[in-house]
Amino acid sequence: QVHLMESGGGSVHAGGSLRLSCAVSGDTYNRNCLGWFRQAPGKEREGVASIYAGVYTDIADSVKGRFTISQDISKNTLYLEMNSLIPEDTAMYYCAAVFAPNSRTCWTRKERDFPYWGQGTQVTVSS
């Protein structure tokens, strides 16, 4: 079992920045792949970024150049650094964990492949 808890969400103006954190605990075997997802009202959940084995990262094209994913293994914490935020980034952000056999599987970020989820943290970007 893996437990995840997000924090760091809030309300910012367009152009602002936020750093989301996700505290990860539990079975280390089942969390070699960690990801960030988001879901805006009325839209499907979207994979934003993922990191494999604590090092190998991938970022969705929609946020590339603005968002960065990282992991501090010593602190069991996953981060999502979000810069140059736009109103379209407004969503509930979730972290998730899965055992992935390779980086490619981790980077496809299929929601149905991730069994462990946090409760989410809200990000609101105003224009």
Side-chain angles (χ1 to χ4, degrees), residues 5 7 17 19-20 23 41 45 51 61 73 76 79 81 83 88 94 99 103 111 114 120 122 127:
M5 180 175 294
S7 61
S17 299
R19 187 176 78 159
L20 305 183
R45 193 169 294 187
I51 184 167
D61 288 342
I73 295 176
N76 290 319
Y79 301 102
E81 187 77 35
N83 299 311
E88 289 75 15
Y94 301 88
F99 171 78
S103 59
E111 179 185 355
F114 285 74
Q122 177 68 37
S127 57

Side-chain angles (χ1 to χ4, degrees), residues 4 28 34 37 61 77 115 120:
L4 306 108
T28 56
L34 299 174
F37 294 75
D61 288 342
T77 304

Side-chain angles (χ1 to χ4, degrees), residues 84-102:
S84 301
L85 284 162
I86 59 178
E88 289 75 15
D89 295 320
T90 294
M92 185 72 79
Y93 283 72
Y94 301 88
C95 59
V98 67
F99 171 78
N102 51 58

Side-chain angles (χ1 to χ4, degrees), residues 50-125:
S50 50
I51 184 167
Y52 178 72
V55 178
Y56 306 102
T57 64
D58 186 75
I59 305 292
D61 288 342
S62 59
V63 300
K64 192 167 291 184
R66 300 189 298 118
F67 289 14
T68 302
I69 186 171
S70 62
Q71 183 179 355
D72 187 333
I73 295 176
S74 67
K75 295 182 179 179
N76 290 319
T77 304
L78 176 72
Y79 301 102
L80 185 68
E81 187 77 35
M82 305 185 295
N83 299 311
S84 301
L85 284 162
I86 59 178
E88 289 75 15
D89 295 320
T90 294
M92 185 72 79
Y93 283 72
Y94 301 88
C95 59
V98 67
F99 171 78
N102 51 58
S103 59
R104 184 173 185 176
T105 302
C106 182
W107 295 346
T108 57
R109 289 185 292 277
K110 293 182 179 179
E111 179 185 355
R112 64 177 182 270
D113 289 341
F114 285 74
Y116 305 107
W117 293 82
Q119 293 185 333
T121 186
Q122 177 68 37
V123 172
T124 302
V125 184

Side-chain angles (χ1 to χ4, degrees), residues 6-26:
E6 304 92 340
S7 61
S11 298
V12 296
H13 292 294
S17 299
L18 282 173
R19 187 176 78 159
L20 305 183
S21 299
C22 175
V24 186
S25 62

